[in-house]
C-alpha cells in the first residue's frame, strides 16, 4: 500500500505538487499519466524516498521494486558477474524459469552474459526482469515497454494483469494501460 498525505514538492520556486493526497491499495494497479515534464517520474522518486517532499508524508507498506525509464548507472548490475546473479541473487529460480521471463521481455541473452557489457535497452529489460522476479509488495515502473516490440508489450501486459501487489506504472502505451490498470492518477502542471 502507498499512502500520500498532503505532499508538496518543487524545484526552487517552481512547485510540481501542492497538498496532494492519494492512496494506492494492496493489489491495486494504477496508471500515472500527464504531459511530459509534469513530474510523473519525480512522483515515483518521492514514493521511493529518493526525493523528499517539502511537506506532507508518504508511507509505503511492504517491499518496493522500481524500474526507471532507462538504466544509466546501476552499481549492483555493473558489479554482477552474470545476468543470473543480477536477476536472481539468491538462486530461487531454475534456469528455464529465468529464460522464460527473459524471452517474454524480448531479452535474448544467456544467463552467463556479463550485465555491464549490455546495451542500455538490455540493461533496462534485465532490471525489469529482476523487479518482476523479486515479487515485491509494491512495483513502480516508468515506461516499462519502451524498448519492446508488440510481443514483449503483450507479455508485460499479461504479467501485470496477474500481478498481486500494488502497482504504479507510467506509460504512453494505451493498450498496456487499458489492459492492466484499475485506476488512473493524473498529474496536471501547477
Amino acid at each position: 500500500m502507498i499512502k500520500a498525505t498532503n505532499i508538496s514538492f518543487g524545484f526552487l520556486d517552481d512547485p510540481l505538487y501542492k497538498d496532494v493526497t492519494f492512496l494506492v491499495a494492496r493489489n491495486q494497479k494504477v496508471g500515472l499519466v500527464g504531459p511530459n515534464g509534469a513530474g510523473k517520474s519525480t512522483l515515483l522518486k518521492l514514493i521511493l524516498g529518493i526525493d523528499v517532499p517539502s511537506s506532507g508524508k508518504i508511507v509505503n507498506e511492504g517491499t518496493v521494486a522500481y524500474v526507471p525509464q532507462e538504466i544509466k548507472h546501476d552499481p549492483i548490475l555493473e558489479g554482477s558477474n552474470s545476468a543470473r546473479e543480477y536477476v536472481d541473487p539468491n538462486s530461487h529460480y531454475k534456469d528455464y524459469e529465468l529464460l522464460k521471463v527473459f524471452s517474454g521481455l524480448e531479452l535474448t541473452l544467456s544467463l552467463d552474459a556479463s550485465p555491464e557489457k549490455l546495451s542500455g535497452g538490455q540493461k533496462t529489460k534485465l532490471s525489469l526482469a529482476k523487479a518482476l522476479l523479486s515479487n515485491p509488495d509494491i512495483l513502480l515502473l516508468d515506461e516499462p515497454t519502451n524498448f519492446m516490440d508488440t510481443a514483449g508489450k503483450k507479455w508485460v501486459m499479461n504479467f501485470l494483469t496477474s500481478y498481486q501487489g500494488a502497482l504504479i506504472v507510467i506509460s504512453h502505451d494505451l493498450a498496456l494501460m487499458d489492459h492492466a490498470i484499475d485506476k488512473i492518477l493524473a498529474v496536471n502542471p501547477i
Side-chain angles (χ1 to χ4, degrees), residues 29-41:
K29 297 171 178 69
V30 174
L32 184 58
V33 300
N36 288 337
K40 299 181 298 291
S41 297

Side-chain angles (χ1 to χ4, degrees), residues 74-145:
D74 179 345
I76 296 171
L77 183 143
E78 293 161 9
S80 297
N81 294 316
S82 68
R84 172 181 249 301
E85 180 183 315
Y86 176 69
V87 299
D88 188 23
N90 298 315
S91 298
H92 290 323
Y93 295 97
K94 297 184 185 303
D95 287 356
Y96 77 89
E97 294 171 310
L98 297 176
L99 291 171
K100 184 176 178 180
V101 172
F102 283 16
S103 175
L105 294 173
E106 300 175 337
L107 188 57
T108 54
L109 54 96
S110 77
L111 294 175
D112 295 328
S114 174
E116 70 178 343
K117 295 180 181 176
L118 301 177
S119 71
Q122 289 173 314
K123 287 179 181 179
T124 302
K125 288 178 184 180
L126 196 62
S127 180
L128 182 56
K130 179 181 180 68
L132 299 179
L133 290 164
S134 71
N135 197 28
D137 299 306
I138 300 169
L139 185 56
L140 305 175
L141 303 177
D142 194 345
E143 298 286 354
T145 58

Side-chain angles (χ1 to χ4, degrees), residues 57-77:
K57 185 166 114 174
I58 299 176
V59 176
N60 300 324
E61 289 185 4
T63 57
V64 181
Y66 165 66
V67 182
Q69 284 185 36
E70 184 177 2
I71 303 297
K72 294 182 180 172
H73 177 67
D74 179 345
I76 296 171
L77 183 143

Side-chain angles (χ1 to χ4, degrees), residues 156-176:
V156 170
M157 282 189 280
N158 290 333
F159 184 94
L160 294 179
T161 299
S162 63
Y163 174 66
Q164 294 299 305
L167 167 70
I168 296 181
V169 62
I170 298 170
S171 182
H172 292 99
D173 184 338
L174 295 178
L176 171 67

